PDB file of all heavy atoms in Angstrom:
ATOM      1  N   LEU A  27      11.067 -26.487 -21.169  1.00  0.00           N
ATOM      2  CA  LEU A  27      11.813 -25.431 -21.845  1.00  0.00           C
ATOM      3  C   LEU A  27      13.322 -25.576 -21.654  1.00  0.00           C
ATOM      4  O   LEU A  27      14.100 -25.283 -22.565  1.00  0.00           O
ATOM      5  CB  LEU A  27      11.352 -24.058 -21.345  1.00  0.00           C
ATOM      6  CG  LEU A  27       9.939 -23.654 -21.737  1.00  0.00           C
ATOM      7  CD1 LEU A  27       9.555 -22.351 -21.052  1.00  0.00           C
ATOM      8  CD2 LEU A  27       9.805 -23.535 -23.241  1.00  0.00           C
ATOM      9  N   GLU A  28      13.736 -26.033 -20.493  1.00  0.00           N
ATOM     10  CA  GLU A  28      15.155 -26.208 -20.241  1.00  0.00           C
ATOM     11  C   GLU A  28      15.738 -27.362 -21.051  1.00  0.00           C
ATOM     12  O   GLU A  28      16.943 -27.448 -21.240  1.00  0.00           O
ATOM     13  CB  GLU A  28      15.406 -26.433 -18.751  1.00  0.00           C
ATOM     14  CG  GLU A  28      15.180 -25.188 -17.927  1.00  0.00           C
ATOM     15  CD  GLU A  28      15.253 -25.439 -16.433  1.00  0.00           C
ATOM     16  OE1 GLU A  28      15.607 -26.557 -16.020  1.00  0.00           O
ATOM     17  OE2 GLU A  28      14.948 -24.506 -15.672  1.00  0.00           O
ATOM     18  N   GLY A  29      14.901 -28.245 -21.538  1.00  0.00           N
ATOM     19  CA  GLY A  29      15.358 -29.372 -22.336  1.00  0.00           C
ATOM     20  C   GLY A  29      15.649 -29.032 -23.787  1.00  0.00           C
ATOM     21  O   GLY A  29      16.199 -29.856 -24.523  1.00  0.00           O
ATOM     22  N   ILE A  30      15.311 -27.834 -24.222  1.00  0.00           N
ATOM     23  CA  ILE A  30      15.569 -27.421 -25.601  1.00  0.00           C
ATOM     24  C   ILE A  30      17.073 -27.159 -25.744  1.00  0.00           C
ATOM     25  O   ILE A  30      17.646 -26.384 -24.969  1.00  0.00           O
ATOM     26  CB  ILE A  30      14.769 -26.147 -25.956  1.00  0.00           C
ATOM     27  CG1 ILE A  30      13.275 -26.410 -25.844  1.00  0.00           C
ATOM     28  CG2 ILE A  30      15.123 -25.667 -27.363  1.00  0.00           C
ATOM     29  CD1 ILE A  30      12.423 -25.171 -25.993  1.00  0.00           C
ATOM     30  N   PRO A  31      17.717 -27.771 -26.719  1.00  0.00           N
ATOM     31  CA  PRO A  31      19.163 -27.570 -26.883  1.00  0.00           C
ATOM     32  C   PRO A  31      19.525 -26.097 -27.107  1.00  0.00           C
ATOM     33  O   PRO A  31      18.789 -25.357 -27.752  1.00  0.00           O
ATOM     34  CB  PRO A  31      19.509 -28.392 -28.125  1.00  0.00           C
ATOM     35  CG  PRO A  31      18.400 -29.383 -28.252  1.00  0.00           C
ATOM     36  CD  PRO A  31      17.186 -28.714 -27.688  1.00  0.00           C
ATOM     37  N   ILE A  32      20.612 -25.673 -26.558  1.00  0.00           N
ATOM     38  CA  ILE A  32      21.227 -24.338 -26.606  1.00  0.00           C
ATOM     39  C   ILE A  32      20.331 -23.284 -25.962  1.00  0.00           C
ATOM     40  O   ILE A  32      20.757 -22.599 -25.042  1.00  0.00           O
ATOM     41  CB  ILE A  32      21.631 -23.939 -28.041  1.00  0.00           C
ATOM     42  CG1 ILE A  32      22.657 -24.938 -28.576  1.00  0.00           C
ATOM     43  CG2 ILE A  32      22.189 -22.515 -28.063  1.00  0.00           C
ATOM     44  CD1 ILE A  32      23.077 -24.726 -29.987  1.00  0.00           C
ATOM     45  N   ILE A  33      19.106 -23.136 -26.411  1.00  0.00           N
ATOM     46  CA  ILE A  33      18.197 -22.145 -25.829  1.00  0.00           C
ATOM     47  C   ILE A  33      17.896 -22.496 -24.370  1.00  0.00           C
ATOM     48  O   ILE A  33      17.671 -21.616 -23.549  1.00  0.00           O
ATOM     49  CB  ILE A  33      16.884 -22.070 -26.651  1.00  0.00           C
ATOM     50  CG1 ILE A  33      17.187 -21.597 -28.071  1.00  0.00           C
ATOM     51  CG2 ILE A  33      15.877 -21.145 -25.998  1.00  0.00           C
ATOM     52  CD1 ILE A  33      16.006 -21.658 -28.993  1.00  0.00           C
ATOM     53  N   GLY A  34      17.933 -23.773 -24.049  1.00  0.00           N
ATOM     54  CA  GLY A  34      17.670 -24.231 -22.688  1.00  0.00           C
ATOM     55  C   GLY A  34      18.614 -23.633 -21.663  1.00  0.00           C
ATOM     56  O   GLY A  34      18.239 -23.429 -20.510  1.00  0.00           O
ATOM     57  N   LEU A  35      19.848 -23.330 -22.068  1.00  0.00           N
ATOM     58  CA  LEU A  35      20.804 -22.711 -21.148  1.00  0.00           C
ATOM     59  C   LEU A  35      20.323 -21.337 -20.688  1.00  0.00           C
ATOM     60  O   LEU A  35      20.411 -20.989 -19.511  1.00  0.00           O
ATOM     61  CB  LEU A  35      22.180 -22.598 -21.812  1.00  0.00           C
ATOM     62  CG  LEU A  35      22.846 -23.922 -22.179  1.00  0.00           C
ATOM     63  CD1 LEU A  35      24.096 -23.673 -22.995  1.00  0.00           C
ATOM     64  CD2 LEU A  35      23.156 -24.710 -20.923  1.00  0.00           C
ATOM     65  N   VAL A  36      19.823 -20.560 -21.616  1.00  0.00           N
ATOM     66  CA  VAL A  36      19.295 -19.228 -21.283  1.00  0.00           C
ATOM     67  C   VAL A  36      17.994 -19.363 -20.501  1.00  0.00           C
ATOM     68  O   VAL A  36      17.763 -18.634 -19.529  1.00  0.00           O
ATOM     69  CB  VAL A  36      19.073 -18.397 -22.565  1.00  0.00           C
ATOM     70  CG1 VAL A  36      18.400 -17.076 -22.249  1.00  0.00           C
ATOM     71  CG2 VAL A  36      20.380 -18.181 -23.293  1.00  0.00           C
ATOM     72  N   LEU A  37      17.158 -20.307 -20.900  1.00  0.00           N
ATOM     73  CA  LEU A  37      15.871 -20.484 -20.239  1.00  0.00           C
ATOM     74  C   LEU A  37      16.033 -20.982 -18.805  1.00  0.00           C
ATOM     75  O   LEU A  37      15.174 -20.715 -17.961  1.00  0.00           O
ATOM     76  CB  LEU A  37      14.986 -21.429 -21.041  1.00  0.00           C
ATOM     77  CG  LEU A  37      14.519 -20.886 -22.390  1.00  0.00           C
ATOM     78  CD1 LEU A  37      13.756 -21.947 -23.166  1.00  0.00           C
ATOM     79  CD2 LEU A  37      13.690 -19.642 -22.225  1.00  0.00           C
ATOM     80  N   THR A  38      17.115 -21.671 -18.515  1.00  0.00           N
ATOM     81  CA  THR A  38      17.372 -22.104 -17.142  1.00  0.00           C
ATOM     82  C   THR A  38      17.464 -20.896 -16.222  1.00  0.00           C
ATOM     83  O   THR A  38      16.866 -20.866 -15.145  1.00  0.00           O
ATOM     84  CB  THR A  38      18.681 -22.922 -17.074  1.00  0.00           C
ATOM     85  OG1 THR A  38      18.546 -24.061 -17.890  1.00  0.00           O
ATOM     86  CG2 THR A  38      18.978 -23.355 -15.654  1.00  0.00           C
ATOM     87  N   ILE A  39      18.198 -19.898 -16.666  1.00  0.00           N
ATOM     88  CA  ILE A  39      18.361 -18.676 -15.861  1.00  0.00           C
ATOM     89  C   ILE A  39      17.039 -17.921 -15.782  1.00  0.00           C
ATOM     90  O   ILE A  39      16.625 -17.482 -14.707  1.00  0.00           O
ATOM     91  CB  ILE A  39      19.464 -17.789 -16.457  1.00  0.00           C
ATOM     92  CG1 ILE A  39      20.807 -18.520 -16.363  1.00  0.00           C
ATOM     93  CG2 ILE A  39      19.531 -16.444 -15.740  1.00  0.00           C
ATOM     94  CD1 ILE A  39      21.910 -17.896 -17.163  1.00  0.00           C
ATOM     95  N   SER A  40      16.353 -17.776 -16.924  1.00  0.00           N
ATOM     96  CA  SER A  40      15.106 -17.014 -16.913  1.00  0.00           C
ATOM     97  C   SER A  40      14.024 -17.715 -16.089  1.00  0.00           C
ATOM     98  O   SER A  40      13.198 -17.058 -15.457  1.00  0.00           O
ATOM     99  CB  SER A  40      14.616 -16.742 -18.333  1.00  0.00           C
ATOM    100  OG  SER A  40      14.214 -17.940 -18.957  1.00  0.00           O
ATOM    101  N   ASN A  41      14.030 -19.044 -16.064  1.00  0.00           N
ATOM    102  CA  ASN A  41      13.060 -19.776 -15.240  1.00  0.00           C
ATOM    103  C   ASN A  41      13.301 -19.514 -13.760  1.00  0.00           C
ATOM    104  O   ASN A  41      12.359 -19.358 -12.983  1.00  0.00           O
ATOM    105  CB  ASN A  41      13.132 -21.277 -15.524  1.00  0.00           C
ATOM    106  CG  ASN A  41      12.546 -21.629 -16.867  1.00  0.00           C
ATOM    107  OD1 ASN A  41      11.764 -20.883 -17.439  1.00  0.00           O
ATOM    108  ND2 ASN A  41      12.931 -22.786 -17.383  1.00  0.00           N
ATOM    109  N   ARG A  42      14.552 -19.471 -13.367  1.00  0.00           N
ATOM    110  CA  ARG A  42      14.875 -19.197 -11.965  1.00  0.00           C
ATOM    111  C   ARG A  42      14.500 -17.769 -11.585  1.00  0.00           C
ATOM    112  O   ARG A  42      13.968 -17.533 -10.502  1.00  0.00           O
ATOM    113  CB  ARG A  42      16.350 -19.442 -11.691  1.00  0.00           C
ATOM    114  CG  ARG A  42      16.691 -20.908 -11.776  1.00  0.00           C
ATOM    115  CD  ARG A  42      18.140 -21.178 -11.565  1.00  0.00           C
ATOM    116  NE  ARG A  42      18.414 -22.578 -11.851  1.00  0.00           N
ATOM    117  CZ  ARG A  42      19.413 -23.248 -11.322  1.00  0.00           C
ATOM    118  NH1 ARG A  42      20.238 -22.653 -10.507  1.00  0.00           N
ATOM    119  NH2 ARG A  42      19.586 -24.512 -11.624  1.00  0.00           N
ATOM    120  N   VAL A  43      14.752 -16.845 -12.476  1.00  0.00           N
ATOM    121  CA  VAL A  43      14.364 -15.457 -12.214  1.00  0.00           C
ATOM    122  C   VAL A  43      12.844 -15.344 -12.137  1.00  0.00           C
ATOM    123  O   VAL A  43      12.298 -14.687 -11.253  1.00  0.00           O
ATOM    124  CB  VAL A  43      14.930 -14.514 -13.302  1.00  0.00           C
ATOM    125  CG1 VAL A  43      14.340 -13.120 -13.185  1.00  0.00           C
ATOM    126  CG2 VAL A  43      16.445 -14.468 -13.212  1.00  0.00           C
ATOM    127  N   GLY A  44      12.159 -16.014 -13.039  1.00  0.00           N
ATOM    128  CA  GLY A  44      10.696 -16.000 -13.024  1.00  0.00           C
ATOM    129  C   GLY A  44      10.128 -16.599 -11.749  1.00  0.00           C
ATOM    130  O   GLY A  44       9.167 -16.080 -11.178  1.00  0.00           O
ATOM    131  N   ALA A  45      10.728 -17.686 -11.279  1.00  0.00           N
ATOM    132  CA  ALA A  45      10.268 -18.312 -10.036  1.00  0.00           C
ATOM    133  C   ALA A  45      10.490 -17.370  -8.850  1.00  0.00           C
ATOM    134  O   ALA A  45       9.633 -17.264  -7.966  1.00  0.00           O
ATOM    135  CB  ALA A  45      10.997 -19.630  -9.809  1.00  0.00           C
ATOM    136  N   ALA A  46      11.618 -16.681  -8.838  1.00  0.00           N
ATOM    137  CA  ALA A  46      11.895 -15.727  -7.755  1.00  0.00           C
ATOM    138  C   ALA A  46      10.911 -14.559  -7.786  1.00  0.00           C
ATOM    139  O   ALA A  46      10.429 -14.114  -6.738  1.00  0.00           O
ATOM    140  CB  ALA A  46      13.323 -15.214  -7.856  1.00  0.00           C
TER     141      ALA A  46
END
Side-chain angles (χ1 to χ4, degrees):
L27 292 174
E28 289 173 7
I30 298 172
I32 299 176
I33 297 173
L35 297 172
V36 174
L37 292 175
T38 299
I39 295 168
S40 68
N41 287 339
R42 291 178 188 206
V43 170

